[in-house]
Amino acid sequence: MLLAVISDCLIFLAYVSIPLQIVIFLWSSGMTNEVFASPSKLMIVSVAVLFTLFTMLCGITHLFTAFLEFQSMRAPNALTASKVATAIVSIATAVVMYMLMPMILDMLKLVEIIRKGRLQEMSRLMRLVTEHCTEVIATHSVDQTLRFLSVNGASESCFRHPPETLIGTSFYSIICEEDLPHVKVVVEDVMRRALHSTVTDLSATRMEYRVRTSASSCSLWMESNVSIAYEDMQPLIIIITRDITNRRELEAQRRLAEEQDREDTVVNAKL
């Protein structure tokens, strides 16, 4: 009977220590940082919390059982054998987790260091690419203003605005007034996907519009691909833009030529 009491007490200790180690692991790995801002983090932490509560409650049940058995000093042999086996496995699991936890945390730190190193190298390469790119590559805040967070040097040739004058300003401020409703519909749809989708959405949406080069001039046509990117699990809007003014002018000339050909065909048919 005493063996059953000791087994229940050991099971209680194991059932309490295992979830506590999981909580320590989540805390040390940074998984709990800004958990409500990331659906994936929130899901993982929620499952861990539920598992922790479940396991600890199981442990408390065994503690109460041990207390009652100690009071009565009676328990079937089969039940005692089952509890001894459970105690051995539970304690072994708790000890192994305790021994492996420092190694796992060190590995996570190493992975994080490697990840940051790769991100820094990728950022350096991306800066080299974007600075020599003829297309405007800009990141924007996911809010109603769609502020410029970063933009490459191509903005000066495309938008007629140097990068330093755009940072912190609204993307909508450079859009021609007549095209603004269409642009807002497209961008707001992308933002809605960024804020409410539980799956990482990397698809791009294309739009065409005119930009204002002065208070009264909207002569430049742009084509933009609007998509979502994620930095530290936080969504950003990326807009890649090219100048299509020449293409639009050629299309207009082609349409005029086609209309003229049709008119000439009609006139010739009447003659």
Side-chain angles (χ1 to χ4, degrees):
M1 185 60 222
L2 184 60
L3 187 59
V5 174
I6 295 173
S7 298
D8 274 316
C9 291
L10 291 176
I11 293 171
F12 164 72
L13 292 175
Y15 276 19
V16 170
S17 66
I18 291 172
L20 285 178
Q21 290 181 73
I22 293 175
V23 170
I24 293 170
F25 168 75
L26 290 174
W27 186 271
S28 302
S29 64
M31 186 64 71
T32 55
N33 295 341
E34 299 181 351
V35 64
F36 292 105
S38 169
S40 58
K41 278 188 177 182
L42 182 60
M43 188 181 302
I44 293 171
V45 172
S46 299
V47 171
V49 169
L50 290 172
F51 176 76
T52 298
L53 292 173
F54 164 73
T55 311
M56 292 188 74
L57 288 172
C58 287
I60 292 171
T61 302
H62 279 279
L63 183 64
F64 287 154
T65 303
F67 176 75
L68 294 174
E69 287 173 344
F70 183 76
Q71 294 291 327
S72 63
M73 280 299 177
R74 284 183 293 105
N77 291 334
L79 180 60
T80 300
S82 173
K83 289 183 178 180
V84 170
T86 305
I88 292 172
V89 174
S90 301
I91 290 296
T93 304
V95 171
V96 169
M97 286 188 64
Y98 178 77
M99 293 173 63
L100 290 180
M101 194 59 65
M103 186 189 304
I104 295 173
L105 291 175
D106 288 340
M107 288 177 62
L108 283 174
K109 290 177 183 177
L110 180 61
V111 169
E112 184 67 17
I113 291 171
I114 294 173
R115 187 184 71 86
K116 287 183 178 179
R118 287 179 178 174
L119 285 176
Q120 289 174 356
E121 180 63 16
M122 288 176 62
S123 297
R124 186 184 70 82
L125 293 174
M126 283 300 296
R127 281 196 298 272
L128 290 175
V129 172
T130 55
E131 286 305 316
H132 296 86
C133 184
T134 57
E135 297 179 344
V136 180
I137 302 175
T139 59
H140 301 266
S141 58
V142 184
D143 55 31
Q144 294 300 316
T145 62
L146 206 68
R147 289 176 296 106
F148 280 93
L149 301 177
S150 66
V151 60
N152 65 338
S155 65
E156 190 161 7
S157 59
C158 281
F159 295 156
R160 307 298 190 266
H161 294 286
E164 58 272 13
T165 64
L166 293 175
I167 300 298
T169 63
S170 171
F171 173 71
Y172 299 129
S173 64
I174 65 171
I175 308 298
C176 186
E177 194 71 30
E178 290 82 357
D179 299 330
L180 197 54
H182 165 66
V183 171
K184 283 188 173 183
V185 168
V186 173
V187 173
E188 286 172 3
D189 178 64
V190 174
M191 284 197 293
R192 190 160 44 249
R193 296 204 312 267
L195 292 174
H196 301 296
S197 176
T198 56
V199 180
T200 302
D201 189 346
L202 301 178
S203 60
T205 304
R206 190 177 67 86
M207 61 183 182
E208 293 183 5
Y209 55 92
R210 290 167 295 170
V211 296
R212 293 191 298 180
T213 55
S214 65
S216 57
S217 176
C218 288
S219 57
L220 296 178
W221 277 94
M222 299 292 155
E223 179 185 81
S224 292
N225 287 313
V226 187
S227 59
I228 308 165
Y230 294 86
E231 184 178 19
D232 293 332
M233 302 301 291
Q234 298 300 314
L236 294 172
I237 298 295
I238 290 187
I239 301 180
I240 301 177
T241 305
R242 62 179 63 88
D243 189 339
I244 59 168
T245 303
N246 291 336
R247 190 183 80 189
R248 296 282 299 205
E249 290 175 352
L250 289 173
E251 289 174 351
Q253 291 173 9
R254 179 177 57 80
R255 285 194 298 270
L256 286 174
E258 289 175 351
E259 290 176 3
Q260 186 64 47
D261 288 342
R262 283 195 295 270
E263 290 176 0
D264 292 344
T265 301
V266 171
V267 171
N268 291 334
K270 290 180 178 179
L271 295 176

